[in-house]
Amino acid sequence: MSVNVEQLESAKASALDQLCVNTIRTLSIDAIQKANSGHPGAPMGLAPVAYVLWDRILRYNPVNPHWANRDRVVLSAGHASMLLYSILHLTGYDLPLSEIEKFRQLGSKCPGHPEYNITPGVETTTGPLGQGIANSVGMAITERWLAAHFNQGDDKIVDYSVYSICSDGDMMEGISHESAALAGHLKLSNLIWLYDSNHVSLDGPTTLAYSDDVESRFKGYHWNVLTVEDANDLQSVEAAIRAAQSETERPTLIIVHSHIGYGSPNKHDKSAAHGEPLGVEEVKLTKRFYGWPEDAQFLIPKEAGDHLGQAVARGKKLEADWNSRHQAWAKKSPELTKEWDGIMTGKLPEGWDKDVPTFPADAKGIATREAGYKVMNSIARNLPWLIGGSADLESSNKTKIDGETSFEAGSYAGRVLRFGVREMGMGGILNGIAASGLRAFGGTFMVFSDYMRGAIRLACIMELPVTYVFTHDSIAVGEDGPTHEPVEQVMSLRLIPHMRVIRPADANETAVAWKLAVESKQHPTTLALTRQAVPTFDRTKYASAEGLRKGAYVFSDVAGTPDVILIGTGSELQLAMEAQEKLAAEGVKARVVSMPCWDLFEEQSAEYKESVLPSAVRARVAVEAGTPIGWERYVGLEGKVVGQNQFGASGPAKDVFKYFGFTVENVVAHAKESIAVVKGLGKK
Ligand SMILES: Cc1ncc(C[n+]2csc(CCOP(=O)(O)OP(=O)(O)O)c2C)c(N)n1
């Protein structure tokens, strides 16, 4: 397609803009039609917004999508992925047209929904509505923290903005309420959400279920709220974003009124445009509306390609300017530069774990949440970019970084994050922080990890090293009763690929667990910690807690081949140990295995696994105060599980534990039963 540029300049000033906008639209439409799958409606309506952002507003370098001071854009409405891929391609990211032509095909850099680490320019994985905007809050928190920490007077090396493009669905999701409320409270003026208000979602018009007054809602969160009446009015879109940029006190929501499926004669403003290709005939009609050659596929008019391609030269210059600022800053601030490099490269500072305590043997012991607090603080002292907090359970979760201030509006250097009672929001925000380079942790009760599960799953998909401090990890919570007593949570977290669930048995295992969490580059870690005190085992008598690094290890052995193996995790290792003693008194040889982390154990060699759980020893008992489902994997069909197959009850912890069979006698009985089964004498 050829456009007379002179004509363009002399005629409507926006003709070239229009050409670019329609290029974004038609690329998206064609990719979706070719894949015979996808969501064309939002890219068609939002193309002008994407165009204004990437062409006139954002500071980025397509050639280096990891440039530290780039503006971030999160496409929270991940189903509109083709919008993002089209603009990334056109602005010169390493995303060739051949990848767009393979949209939604196996191995393509253009997967169905944007995926972190697959596509250059994609800042986070989105698709589950609402998660992206919560991530953007985490990114904005990180920018503020980095700016407070690293900018020195007029030497500003951190000053990026965070944008999110979101939709009706994002706004309906609960997580949007939590994360927006916190962003408003924290006065994150570096955060700008562009809300695609097109009044249509999957099932039909949003009026079916949604009549929020979004403007009032966000004003209530102390946001700056602006409105653009027509997404196609590029000047208004630009003016609104520029107004948002000059806001210094509040995050900004720009409500952009748009039309889903804009330009499609039969699907414009209809949910039919939302989630399926337009169809061959409708594509033609739509292209005719745009003044596009009807049969052209993946057409990028030269003028549009050239114009949007200028982003490469622009980006190179922006980054080069920043590099000279950064170099000047680095000369003046060598110590800070070391920290900066550590954050940007993911390298831990030397000596980060030098103060991690070794806990002396103590029969009374301490709760692993308490040990976790001590260990986390010993690490925080030497790892300045460890940052985190709790969803209003700090005194219970023991997550306070001592001697540090809170991250607060206007005082952004603090490392103590206060999420309020917002577990969902916390989950999404932690992902945004981790994706921005800081080491982030967040705490709540294990039972409420369910509230965070959507975000946890995304952390696992993205392989972000977030640390979850989930305390009160069993029915030993006691008095608060079944609503607060996790039963299925620990096991269900183990089900998520990439997650490392660690349930340490004592203070020294907790120390190793925290170290592993901090060393992790690609795995989120769940630390399942007790409310109640557990003995600190005598490591001169039993195996070193470093065994935790292998997931499971022989904690206390017997001479010769054991008659039975007792596997304990967390607070139940002590039951296994006491049972070992009782069984020994009856002449039964029991090996005790501590198994704090299934996932790590699975990563070990077959030889190692065999050395811990020899296949010849089939009498086995697993003891864990959680659902027994799954333990068959390690105890086999002849083994037994002392687990919790039902909800707990309210009462003092020791009574609850006893009531549900977490007693030495019960473990001993199960061990004997398993031995009998193996001998062919008992019931499986
Ligand atoms: C948490 C979550 N629930 C449900 C979906 C399925 N889903 C994808 S898009 C969509 C409708 C969204 O409508 P809207 O956000 O208005 O997008 P638009 O129709 O404007 O493209 C739904 C329900 C999802 N992706 N995430």
Side-chain angles (χ1 to χ4, degrees):
M1 189 181 190
S2 172
V3 170
N4 182 330
V5 178
E6 273 166 43
Q7 230 178 16
L8 279 180
E9 280 164 3
S10 59
K12 249 176 127 188
S14 64
L16 177 60
D17 293 333
Q18 206 50 55
L19 190 74
C20 293
V21 169
N22 285 336
T23 305
I24 299 169
R25 286 182 169 131
T26 51
L27 265 187
S28 305
I29 290 171
D30 286 341
I32 291 163
Q33 191 60 44
K34 183 164 185 221
N36 199 21
S37 170
H39 303 74
M44 291 159 75
L46 277 175
V49 172
Y51 172 64
V52 169
L53 257 185
W54 268 269
D55 189 58
R56 301 184 188 171
I57 304 286
L58 296 176
R59 292 168 302 170
Y60 61 105
N61 180 7
V63 177
N64 179 13
H66 299 295
W67 170 32
N69 199 42
R70 69 192 181 280
D71 288 334
R72 270 64 169 175
V73 187
V74 172
L75 178 67
S76 192
H79 59 276
S81 55
M82 259 322 301
L83 175 74
L84 188 53
Y85 301 147
S86 297
I87 193 75
L88 292 176
H89 168 71
L90 291 166
T91 48
Y93 282 84
D94 180 18
L95 190 64
L97 197 58
S98 55
E99 294 293 333
I100 289 188
E101 288 174 356
K102 286 188 292 184
F103 175 54
R104 290 193 162 225
Q105 307 308 303
L106 269 180
S108 168
K109 276 191 190 174
C110 298
H113 292 84
E115 289 185 43
Y116 184 69
N117 275 339
I118 288 190
T119 318
V122 167
E123 301 284 359
T124 182
T125 296
T126 52
L129 289 161
Q131 292 290 338
I133 39 182
N135 294 172
S136 76
V137 175
M139 292 176 186
I141 286 174
T142 306
E143 192 276 343
R144 290 285 93 156
W145 189 87
L146 291 171
H149 198 69
F150 290 110
N151 289 348
Q152 301 288 299
D154 286 340
D155 286 342
K156 289 200 170 53
I157 57 158
V158 183
D159 60 357
Y160 58 87
S161 300
V162 181
Y163 298 84
S164 183
I165 299 174
C166 52
S167 63
D168 295 313
D170 284 302
M171 286 294 157
M172 288 188 232
E173 291 289 350
I175 192 170
S176 75
H177 296 254
E178 294 189 2
S179 52
L182 189 59
H185 174 78
L186 292 172
K187 300 191 195 307
L188 299 174
S189 61
N190 55 343
L191 181 66
I192 299 170
W193 288 0
L194 293 137
Y195 162 38
D196 177 32
S197 173
N198 62 21
H199 308 284
V200 172
S201 62
L202 196 149
D203 277 350
T206 50
T207 46
L208 289 171
Y210 175 62
S211 48
D212 296 15
D213 177 348
V214 175
E215 181 174 347
S216 304
R217 185 183 140 195
F218 275 73
K219 283 189 168 156
Y221 300 145
H222 313 294
W223 282 54
N224 174 33
V225 182
L226 306 172
T227 302
V228 172
E229 294 301 339
D230 176 8
N232 287 316
D233 179 351
L234 304 186
Q235 265 93 353
S236 296
V237 173
E238 183 177 350
I241 301 175
R242 296 221 181 272
Q245 284 178 326
S246 61
E247 165 67 42
T248 55
E249 283 290 309
R250 299 166 294 175
T252 296
L253 178 75
I254 305 177
I255 303 173
V256 183
H257 292 288
S258 78
H259 296 278
I260 195 165
Y262 178 83
S264 155
N266 297 301
K267 299 198 170 177
H268 176 103
D269 275 346
K270 295 197 179 124
S271 62
H274 162 83
E276 59 193 35
L278 293 181
V280 176
E281 277 317 302
E282 193 66 15
V283 169
K284 286 188 183 178
L285 294 175
T286 306
K287 286 184 178 166
R288 195 180 300 166
F289 175 87
Y290 297 147
W292 217 249
E294 282 179 21
D295 294 319
Q297 303 281 313
F298 300 99
L299 172 69
I300 301 176
K302 185 169 179 325
E303 296 82 354
D306 287 351
H307 177 70
L308 281 161
Q310 289 169 9
V312 172
R314 207 166 54 227
K316 225 170 148 182
K317 180 165 181 336
L318 281 168
E319 186 176 354
D321 289 351
W322 180 83
N323 279 337
S324 24
R325 270 195 282 153
H326 182 264
Q327 273 160 18
W329 168 87
K331 258 197 198 135
K332 288 189 234 166
S333 322
E335 280 310 306
L336 283 177
T337 303
K338 270 195 219 153
E339 288 186 24
W340 175 267
D341 292 345
I343 293 171
M344 295 306 146
T345 58
K347 202 167 163 270
L348 295 167
E350 211 147 291
W352 66 273
D353 59 349
K354 70 179 164 52
D355 294 336
V356 172
T358 302
F359 296 86
D362 176 4
K364 199 166 135 271
I366 57 171
T368 53
R369 64 174 165 147
E370 190 68 46
Y373 163 75
K374 292 182 191 223
V375 175
M376 183 273 286
N377 268 291
S378 73
I379 295 172
R381 275 201 291 284
N382 303 306
L383 178 54
W385 54 97
L386 182 68
I387 174 169
S390 155
D392 199 44
L393 283 169
E394 179 186 277
S395 52
S396 294
N397 300 147
K398 309 280 179 193
T399 44
K400 170 100 183 359
I401 306 181
D402 286 335
E404 282 289 330
T405 54
S406 296
F407 180 93
E408 274 172 22
S411 168
Y412 294 122
R415 288 202 278 165
V416 177
L417 299 179
R418 302 197 171 277
F419 295 98
V421 194
R422 300 188 184 98
E423 295 82 7
M424 269 189 280
M426 174 167 75
I429 289 169
L430 287 171
N431 288 350
I433 298 175
S436 308
L438 301 184
R439 302 305 311 238
F441 67 88
T444 184
F445 288 154
M446 173 59 80
V447 79
F448 302 137
S449 64
D450 286 344
Y451 274 47
M452 300 171 63
R453 198 168 173 92
I456 292 175
R457 187 166 190 275
L458 282 167
C460 292
I461 291 178
M462 289 192 264
E463 304 185 1
L464 295 173
V466 176
T467 302
Y468 304 104
V469 181
F470 292 150
T471 68
H472 298 59
D473 70 344
S474 78
I475 56 166
V477 162
E479 291 84 349
D480 276 340
T483 56
H484 284 53
E485 292 170 352
V487 173
E488 72 280 20
Q489 281 69 22
V490 171
M491 191 61 84
S492 79
L493 287 164
R494 288 188 184 121
L495 298 179
I496 311 178
H498 279 290
M499 170 57 84
R500 271 192 191 146
V501 178
I502 310 183
R503 190 163 185 257
D506 74 348
N508 287 308
E509 280 195 9
T510 307
V512 182
W514 249 114
K515 283 200 257 183
L516 269 168
V518 171
E519 287 163 13
S520 168
K521 286 191 187 313
Q522 286 175 315
H523 293 273
T525 304
T526 290
L527 300 175
L529 304 178
T530 64
R531 174 195 182 204
Q532 76 279 25
V534 291
T536 306
F537 293 105
D538 182 351
R539 297 287 169 167
T540 59
K541 233 163 119 190
Y542 306 117
S544 158
E546 286 293 320
L548 182 146
R549 289 182 178 275
K550 294 193 164 168
Y553 60 104
V554 178
F555 182 77
S556 170
D557 213 357
V558 286
T561 306
D563 299 315
V564 62
I565 299 173
L566 307 177
I567 307 170
T569 82
S571 46
E572 286 70 74
L573 184 66
Q574 59 185 305
L575 283 178
M577 286 301 294
E578 287 172 47
Q580 181 193 47
E581 208 178 308
K582 279 235 152 77
L583 286 164
E586 297 180 35
V588 179
K589 294 192 291 183
R591 164 182 288 189
V592 173
V593 168
S594 177
M595 194 177 228
C597 183
W598 281 28
D599 313 79
L600 283 167
F601 187 61
E602 285 306 314
E603 288 171 18
Q604 307 308 314
S605 66
E607 291 75 28
Y608 179 75
K609 289 197 228 173
E610 175 67 18
S611 75
V612 177
L613 300 175
S615 36
V617 185
R618 283 157 26 227
R620 299 175 183 189
V621 180
V623 198
E624 181 171 77
T627 183
I629 296 170
W631 274 109
E632 303 83 359
R633 179 178 203 168
Y634 296 115
V635 300
L637 295 179
E638 292 150 308
K640 300 282 167 189
V641 185
V642 178
Q644 179 71 10
N645 214 0
Q646 56 187 305
F647 292 120
S650 168
K654 63 176 180 6
D655 297 347
V656 172
F657 236 48
K658 194 168 163 202
Y659 180 78
F660 287 108
F662 292 95
T663 61
V664 181
E665 294 70 31
N666 200 25
V667 177
V668 167
H670 278 74
K672 288 181 183 167
E673 270 178 48
S674 183
I675 292 169
V677 170
V678 171
K679 288 186 177 151
L681 302 171
K683 263 201 308 191
K684 276 192 184 176

